[in-house]
Amino acid sequence: MSPVYRNAFLWMIIAVLMILLFNMFNNAGNYSFVKIDYTKLIRLVDSDKIKSVRFDGNEVYITTTDGKRYRTYTPEVKDIADKLAKKGVDVVVKPKENNSILTNILIYWVPMIVFIFLWFYFMNQMNKGGKALNFGKSNARMFVSDPKNRVTFKDVAGIDEVKDELLEIIEFLKNPGKFTKIGAKIPKGVLLVGAPGTGKTLVAKAVAGEAGVPFFTISGSDFVEMFVGVGASRVRDLFNQAKRNAPCIVFIDEIDAVGRQRGAGVGGGNDEREQTLNQLLVEMDGFQTDTNIIVMAATNRPDVLDPALLRPGRFDRRIVVPKPDVKGRLEILKVHTRKIPLGDDVDLEIIAKTTSGFVGADLANLVNEAALIAARKNKTKVEMEDFDLAKDKVLLGPERKNAIISEREKRITAYHESGHAIVAKMLPNTDPVHKVSIIPRGMALGVTQQLPEDDKYTYDKEYLMNRIAVLMGGRAAEEVMLGSITTGAGNDIERATEIARRMVCEWGMSSLGPIHLSDEGKEVFLGRDIAVRKTFSEETARLIDAEIKKIVDDGYRIAVEIITENKDKVEKMAQRLLEKEVIDAKEIDEILGLNDDRAA
């Protein structure tokens, strides 16, 4: 018999004894009467020795004149009571209680049953590691691969290089003997690094699905609690569970929540978090080396992780999960539209080309939004129009249909957006203008949407200067066409200034030369340094400000020149916007008298 059930048996005996004691004390007053037979009762009634009598149902409790007390049972309660009353004896008759068996159970047994049930509940919680009494158990969830519903590499698209890197891990989990025979050691841990939404968690699930092994998943923040020592205890419990189910995969999402460098931050670090990290380090590379447990973790901040976590023997491999290129986006769209009925006009290649910078989560959201839009319109298929509307909603925010915009503000917005579009069309080496709209979306009253034709990984100086000119095109159009300026260019100016600052301080695209002059310090709780140290003098700071101003002024000057030379086209486009509110690339080319080729 296990200790838990041995204790349960003991507690049941105690509960029964408590019930017996309860009944005993409840009837303690009755046990002071001496039990007699019915014959003696008749003799007492006939004599004059009874002082008082109490009838409790058919039970008779007698007190004699000499102080003696008797009790017995009689079916003739009424006759005896009348006879004694005529003799002047004090008679008390208590009506008979017709308590059923159920009533007796409710009165005497239910409280004890409830007590026993509660006791068993808490004992079960302790035995299973429930949250009520055991904080040291991990919150990891275990998924066992279901051949019918498991996630595999077929569900992962756009990151073929990452899948190739992980094939070796899968092979080890399927056939570890192949590697151990020749003395090879499989990597203990795999760190997946990438921007949010690139599919790090999905990749880990796919590895477990391909290998057909149990998959434990937990977030880094689940280890940390307000109680000291809980995090380390949960790490031990997690790995104990994993060892019992080996070979398996342990996936820790957002590991930077628990794996930040020790000693960083105000006050030298957090003791509880560091204890948790220390335990994780021990479990990953302690004395036991043949556990057949692969630890996978995901983060988008690898720079803040403790060096001991990244050394060989712990996270041996660091795999970057990049944003997908145009080919990858096409494959991802195919995966997410497998169960979506698409219209004949839907071209996934065009959608992939016009969604530069989108990650897997963004594309999944785009497909879902398009399906929702089609459903709201009672369509049976999702058409290209629905994808365009979904893209606008994802990029710019929902349309503010109830926004009340005055005719004057609408006119200013039309000229402002026309300025952006004209400058973008007249300058070479800029992103194509996809759409111009003066319909309020999100926080903007209008938008000029430019979508790059290809994925860009580097930017030349000409592109950046032209980008600044395009951003300043709205302000330039307001000044040239309306003779006044408004606050509508606030965000444009901020973005143009940021590009200019990075050109000067980070990319060496100014007269100051190829020198890194950024004074951005590390974040206190995420990085390694607390103080922000400026690496240049005040004189250099003045030169930086002057260079930034010069770059932005040059961009503004170029925009003003283009708007001045094309006043008629700006006017025509603004009027078209006031009429239709939205114009696409073909209409823009028609207004400007351009062919499909870009203007020189």
Side-chain angles (χ1 to χ4, degrees):
M1 185 181 292
S2 66
V4 172
Y5 291 105
R6 192 182 304 119
N7 291 336
F9 183 71
L10 177 62
W11 276 94
M12 287 181 66
I13 293 174
I14 294 173
V16 171
L17 291 175
M18 290 180 65
I19 294 173
L20 294 176
L21 288 172
F22 174 79
N23 289 330
M24 185 182 297
F25 285 112
N26 190 46
N27 296 310
N30 296 336
Y31 293 140
S32 62
F33 289 79
V34 178
K35 191 172 183 179
I36 60 174
D37 57 20
Y38 182 73
T39 305
K40 191 170 183 179
L41 171 63
I42 298 301
R43 292 192 192 126
L44 288 172
V45 171
D46 292 337
S47 67
D48 294 327
K49 294 180 179 181
I50 295 179
K51 178 182 178 183
S52 64
V53 65
R54 175 167 60 89
F55 292 91
D56 188 354
N58 290 334
E59 292 284 339
V60 184
Y61 298 92
I62 302 166
T63 303
T64 61
T65 54
D66 54 3
K68 294 180 180 180
R69 309 174 80 181
Y70 302 100
R71 65 186 177 90
T72 188
Y73 174 86
T74 177
E76 302 174 358
V77 174
K78 186 177 180 182
D79 295 339
I80 294 176
D82 291 341
K83 192 173 183 180
L84 292 173
K86 291 177 180 178
K87 291 184 176 184
V89 176
D90 187 9
V91 178
V92 176
V93 179
K94 186 178 179 182
K96 182 179 181 180
E97 295 182 359
N98 295 319
N99 291 341
S100 64
I101 296 176
L102 179 61
T103 304
N104 290 329
I105 291 174
L106 291 174
I107 294 174
Y108 297 106
W109 288 92
V110 167
M112 278 304 139
I113 292 173
V114 171
F115 170 78
I116 294 170
F117 172 79
L118 291 175
W119 181 83
F120 267 110
Y121 170 76
F122 284 112
M123 288 298 295
N124 189 53
Q125 289 291 309
M126 291 179 67
N127 192 39
K128 291 186 178 180
K131 295 180 180 179
L133 295 176
N134 203 327
F135 297 99
K137 298 294 183 181
S138 74
N139 298 325
R141 293 176 295 168
M142 184 180 78
F143 299 92
V144 179
S145 297
D146 182 357
K148 295 182 179 179
N149 301 316
R150 66 182 179 179
V151 177
T152 65
F153 279 162
K154 293 181 180 179
D155 303 301
V156 181
I159 45 175
D160 293 336
E161 298 83 0
V162 175
K163 292 194 285 187
D164 292 340
E165 283 281 333
L166 293 170
L167 286 175
E168 192 175 274
I169 305 293
I170 296 170
E171 183 65 22
F172 171 77
L173 290 169
K174 286 183 176 179
N175 185 17
K178 174 182 176 181
F179 297 88
T180 56
K181 279 181 182 178
I182 59 172
K185 295 181 179 179
I186 200 69
K188 287 288 190 66
V190 178
L191 183 64
L192 301 175
V193 178
T198 50
K200 299 184 289 295
T201 305
L202 183 64
V203 166
K205 285 184 178 180
V207 171
E210 289 286 344
V213 298
F215 178 78
F216 290 87
T217 177
I218 191 170
S219 172
S221 60
D222 287 337
F223 290 115
V224 183
E225 269 286 0
M226 63 180 290
F227 301 103
V228 177
V230 169
S233 176
R234 287 181 176 174
V235 171
R236 286 191 295 270
D237 182 71
L238 169 63
F239 279 86
N240 286 335
Q241 291 183 56
K243 289 170 187 174
R244 290 193 296 268
N245 293 276
C248 66
I249 291 176
V250 173
F251 178 67
I252 305 174
D253 200 9
E254 304 296 344
I255 195 173
D256 48 278
V258 71
R260 293 176 190 161
Q261 183 181 11
R262 288 165 291 186
V266 177
N270 182 292
D271 288 339
E272 169 63 9
R273 183 178 57 79
E274 290 185 4
Q275 286 182 29
T276 306
L277 174 58
N278 291 338
Q279 186 64 42
L280 180 61
L281 296 175
V282 171
E283 294 289 349
M284 288 191 67
D285 189 22
F287 288 103
Q288 296 182 358
T289 57
D290 55 347
T291 55
N292 288 351
I293 299 172
I294 302 295
V295 180
M296 300 185 70
T299 182
N300 50 22
R301 291 297 306 272
D303 55 307
V304 304
L305 295 179
D306 193 278
L309 201 59
L310 302 176
R311 73 157 176 81
R314 292 195 175 108
F315 283 110
D316 306 85
R317 278 188 191 176
R318 180 186 297 189
I319 299 178
V320 177
V321 185
K323 291 185 177 181
D325 56 14
V326 62
K327 180 182 176 183
R329 292 195 296 275
L330 176 59
E331 295 302 317
I332 292 172
L333 286 169
K334 288 179 179 178
V335 169
H336 289 300
T337 55
R338 282 187 303 206
K339 298 180 180 180
I340 303 289
L342 300 178
D344 296 334
D345 63 335
V346 174
D347 190 335
L348 295 181
E349 289 188 9
I350 293 177
I351 298 173
K353 288 180 180 179
T354 57
T355 50
S356 178
F358 276 46
V359 296
D362 296 329
L363 294 171
N365 185 41
L366 175 68
V367 172
N368 185 60
E369 288 291 346
L372 291 174
I373 290 171
R376 282 197 291 268
K377 295 180 179 179
N378 297 320
K379 295 182 179 179
T380 57
K381 293 184 178 181
V382 182
E383 300 174 345
M384 198 68 176
E385 175 192 10
D386 304 316
F387 279 101
D388 289 336
L389 291 174
K391 192 191 311 172
D392 289 343
K393 184 176 181 180
V394 171
L395 291 173
L396 309 172
E399 183 178 327
R400 291 158 53 194
K401 296 182 179 180
N402 297 326
I404 301 175
I405 309 297
S406 67
E407 289 299 322
R408 179 176 176 275
E409 285 185 326
K410 202 171 182 180
R411 183 168 175 266
I412 293 172
T413 303
Y415 281 104
H416 182 101
E417 299 304 332
S418 298
H420 286 308
I422 295 295
V423 174
K425 294 294 288 187
M426 294 296 120
L427 283 175
N429 197 14
T430 59
D431 295 326
V433 179
H434 176 68
K435 181 188 297 184
V436 182
S437 169
I438 58 172
I439 297 175
R441 283 184 177 274
M443 299 298 293
L445 295 178
V447 65
T448 300
Q449 192 177 63
Q450 289 179 267
L451 298 174
E453 294 176 327
D454 303 304
D455 295 316
K456 286 185 171 63
Y457 302 101
T458 58
Y459 302 93
D460 56 50
K461 185 176 180 180
E462 182 189 18
Y463 174 85
L464 294 171
M465 287 298 301
N466 290 347
R467 179 63 185 152
I468 291 174
V470 172
L471 287 169
M472 303 305 291
R475 167 60 65 90
E478 290 179 11
E479 183 177 357
V480 173
M481 303 300 296
L482 302 175
S484 63
I485 56 178
T486 68
T487 60
N491 182 253
D492 299 328
I493 295 171
E494 179 183 350
R495 291 159 62 193
T497 305
E498 179 58 26
I499 293 173
R501 180 175 295 281
R502 299 189 72 180
M503 289 175 67
V504 174
C505 298
E506 297 180 31
W507 299 326
M509 295 180 177
S510 71
S511 62
L512 295 178
I515 304 175
H516 185 79
L517 298 167
S518 178
D519 61 349
E520 295 179 0
K522 301 287 185 181
E523 295 179 61
V524 173
F525 294 103
L526 294 180
R528 299 172 179 170
D529 302 320
I530 295 177
V532 176
R533 182 169 59 92
K534 185 176 287 187
T535 58
F536 48 83
S537 64
E538 292 298 328
E539 178 61 27
T540 303
R542 283 193 289 272
L543 292 175
I544 290 172
D545 291 339
E547 285 294 319
I548 292 172
K549 184 176 186 304
K550 180 179 180 302
I551 291 173
V552 175
D553 286 347
D554 287 347
Y556 187 65
R557 176 181 53 78
I558 293 170
V560 169
E561 289 175 0
I562 292 174
I563 297 298
T564 303
E565 293 173 1
N566 297 275
K567 279 186 175 181
D568 56 333
K569 295 175 181 177
V570 175
E571 182 68 36
K572 189 175 180 181
M573 186 178 293
Q575 294 303 321
R576 182 72 64 87
L577 279 172
L578 289 171
E579 292 172 9
K580 299 186 65 177
E581 292 189 330
V582 180
I583 55 177
D584 58 19
K586 291 183 180 179
E587 288 182 278
I588 294 171
D589 288 342
E590 177 192 336
I591 292 170
L592 300 180
L594 300 174
N595 297 322
D596 293 337
D597 297 333
R598 298 293 306 275

